[in-house]
């Protein structure tokens, strides 16, 4: 116990004094906004960007600030970094980390990344926030090297498989919408103590910091072989729908403990689920009434963007999110089993009013949800 407490004391002290040392180098949120607003637009189109080659297992750290180019994207003006990625060696994923800026967490601000993928003719293929993006604690060496002592980062990823071979370029930016976001982060104050021959710190009380999204950033991107070590829970217990939940690697042991005695629940690696997506999703659809909805891609995108949030796929290919959706799916499934003709007469035909219609659920529930 003593060595552990001693290490924690040394770690906290180093981070504290590193923050003091680097505070003169940190830019304030107000100054970041002023410099961003004064930065001119660089180009007329994205084919004029400089694209840096990023190979699998490569890693790049970079800053987005007034010394960088800015472009007026459809989503608003932003500093950006552009990369070219290989079209072989699949699967791989782009790991994106964005570190807090500022001299103290109560004055911190952070760049919330948004990603565009382009084909060889510079047409947009995907436009999305990184999947499974969350605020995480940076490691010790990462804190010392990248974060200026604040020790926090946003981290997420973008997956690439053989199905994405048409994507040649990646652009890291932020958007007008994301610049309005704020993160609520609890922290503990530190109290400096100066005694004869000793300068140290003691833990203080807890406070909450409201951290605004910044137009400037300190980021790291890596192209990593394979898939992230996240997991998919599949719950088959209800006949009318199947539940899918994405669980981050650090949370899987607790989930395993909670479901160890429950039947009809599977735990799959993200790789296993992604490479057999059709079988896992289509296997329990009895009568697909939404064949044009691209249900597999909808499910995968939802799980990527909303880790920890369950999504149900109904027996008829619809989507289940709310309790009302679930009850409707169960009642209509039972009606279909008992009396198919009556089911056809009773089901809701109009798309806007159909509780299970995938498009209604996309319009209502999809968007950049952040669970910090």
């Amino acid at each position: 116990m003593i060595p552990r407490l001693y290490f924690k004391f040394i770690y906290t002290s180093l981070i504290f004094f590193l923050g003091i040392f680097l505070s003169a180098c940190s830019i304030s949120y107000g100054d970041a906004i002023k410099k961003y607003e004064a930065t001119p637009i660089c180009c007329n189109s994205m084919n004029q960007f400089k694209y840096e080659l990023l190979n699998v297992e490569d890693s790049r750290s970079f800053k987005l600030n007034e010394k960088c180019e800015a472009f007026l994207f459809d989503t608003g003006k932003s500093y950006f970094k552009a990369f070219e990625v290989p079209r072989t060696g699949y699967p791989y994923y782009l790991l994106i980390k964005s570190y807090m800026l500022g001299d103290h967490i109560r004055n911190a601000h952070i760049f919330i990344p948004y990603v565009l993928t382009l084909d060889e003719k510079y047409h947009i293929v995907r436009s999305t926030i990184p999947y499974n993006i969350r605020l995480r604690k940076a490691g010790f060496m990462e804190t010392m090297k990248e974060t200026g002592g604040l020790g926090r980062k946003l981290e997420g990823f973008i997956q690439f498989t053989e199905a994405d071979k048409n994507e040649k370029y990646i652009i890291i930016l932020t958007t007008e919408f994301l610049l309005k976001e704020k993160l609520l982060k609890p922290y503990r104050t530190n109290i400096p103590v100066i005694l004869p021959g000793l300068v140290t710190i003691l833990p203080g009380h807890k406070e909450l910091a409201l951290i605004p999204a910044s137009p400037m950033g300190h980021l790291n991107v890596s192209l990593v072989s394979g898939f992230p070590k996240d997991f998919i829970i599949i719950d088959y217990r209800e006949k009318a729908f199947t539940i899918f939940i994405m669980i981050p690697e650090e949370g899987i042991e607790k989930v395993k403990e909670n479901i160890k005695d429950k039947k009809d629940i599977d735990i799959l690696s993200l790789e296993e689920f992604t490479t057999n997506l059709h079988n896992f999703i289509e296997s329990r659809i009895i009568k697909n009434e939404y064949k044009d909805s691209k249900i597999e891609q909808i499910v995968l995108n939802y799980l990527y963007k909303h880790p920890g949030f369950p999504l149900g796929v109904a027996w008829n290919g619809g989507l289940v999110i709310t309790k009302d959706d679930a009850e409707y799916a169960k009642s209509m499934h039972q009606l279909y089993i008992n009396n198919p003709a009556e089911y056809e007469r009773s089901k809701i035909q109009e798309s806007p009013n159909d509780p299970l219609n995938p498009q209604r659920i996309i319009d209502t529930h999809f968007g950049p949800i952040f669970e910090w």
Side-chain angles (χ1 to χ4, degrees), residues 26-40 65-68 70 77 79 215-216:
S26 301
I27 186 169
S28 70
Y29 174 70
D31 286 344
I33 292 294
K34 289 177 183 177
K35 291 183 177 182
Y36 158 75
E37 291 175 344
T39 302
N65 54 30
E66 76 278 7
K67 297 178 182 179
C68 301
K77 176 183 169 182
Y79 298 117
M216 294 187 177

Side-chain angles (χ1 to χ4, degrees), residues 133-322:
I133 185 170
R134 291 181 299 130
L135 190 65
R136 306 173 190 235
K137 187 175 181 180
F140 178 75
M141 293 306 298
E142 196 174 27
T143 297
M144 301 295 285
K145 181 182 177 182
E146 305 278 12
T147 71
L150 291 180
R152 293 292 184 272
K153 62 182 177 180
L154 283 175
E155 183 175 299
F157 71 93
I158 301 292
Q159 184 70 53
F160 294 85
T161 65
E162 287 282 348
D164 306 307
K165 290 187 77 168
N166 62 324
E167 296 173 318
K168 185 177 181 180
Y169 303 110
I170 293 171
I171 302 172
I172 311 294
L173 63 145
T174 195
T175 71
E176 219 169 71
F177 177 83
L178 292 177
L179 284 173
K180 298 175 183 177
E181 290 282 340
K182 287 182 172 62
L183 286 63
L184 192 63
K185 177 62 185 172
Y187 70 97
R188 186 176 290 278
T189 60
N190 292 313
I191 304 172
V193 177
I194 302 175
L195 300 172
L198 176 65
V199 178
T200 186
I201 57 171
L202 294 175
H205 58 279
K206 287 187 176 181
E207 292 189 3
L208 285 174
L210 194 61
I211 301 168
S214 179
M216 294 187 177
H218 180 168
L219 293 91
N220 175 273
V221 296
S222 305
L223 212 57
V224 185
S225 179
F227 290 81
K229 294 181 175 63
D230 296 324
F231 295 85
I232 302 295
I233 307 297
I234 307 181
D235 186 342
Y236 299 102
R237 289 177 296 175
E238 175 56 58
K239 293 181 179 180
F241 50 84
T242 307
I243 298 293
F244 300 89
I245 310 173
M246 183 173 178
I247 303 296
E249 179 185 12
E250 60 269 26
I252 193 62
E253 292 305 318
K254 185 175 181 180
V255 172
K256 286 180 179 178
E257 180 65 24
N258 290 338
I259 67 173
K260 65 181 180 181
D261 297 324
K262 296 179 181 178
K263 298 180 179 179
D264 298 322
I265 299 179
D266 288 344
I267 301 177
L268 304 174
S269 69
L270 181 60
E271 178 175 6
E272 184 180 1
F273 177 73
T274 304
T275 53
N276 296 280
L277 193 60
H278 180 81
N279 292 336
F280 290 121
I281 292 177
E282 298 282 347
S283 62
R284 300 238 300 171
I285 297 178
I286 301 171
K287 181 180 185 291
N288 194 343
E289 298 183 320
Y290 311 97
K291 293 181 179 179
D292 297 329
S293 67
K294 299 181 180 178
I295 189 68
E296 295 172 21
Q297 198 58 49
I298 290 173
V299 170
L300 194 59
N301 286 342
Y302 184 93
L303 296 177
Y304 277 151
K305 292 184 178 182
H306 307 281
F309 286 80
L311 177 67
V313 176
W315 64 277
N316 65 347
L319 294 181
V320 173
I321 291 184
T322 68

Side-chain angles (χ1 to χ4, degrees), residues 85-90 92 119-120 162 164-168:
V85 294
R87 300 165 87 179
T88 59
Y90 300 104
Y92 58 75
D119 63 19
E120 61 185 6
E162 287 282 348
D164 306 307
K165 290 187 77 168
N166 62 324
E167 296 173 318
K168 185 177 181 180

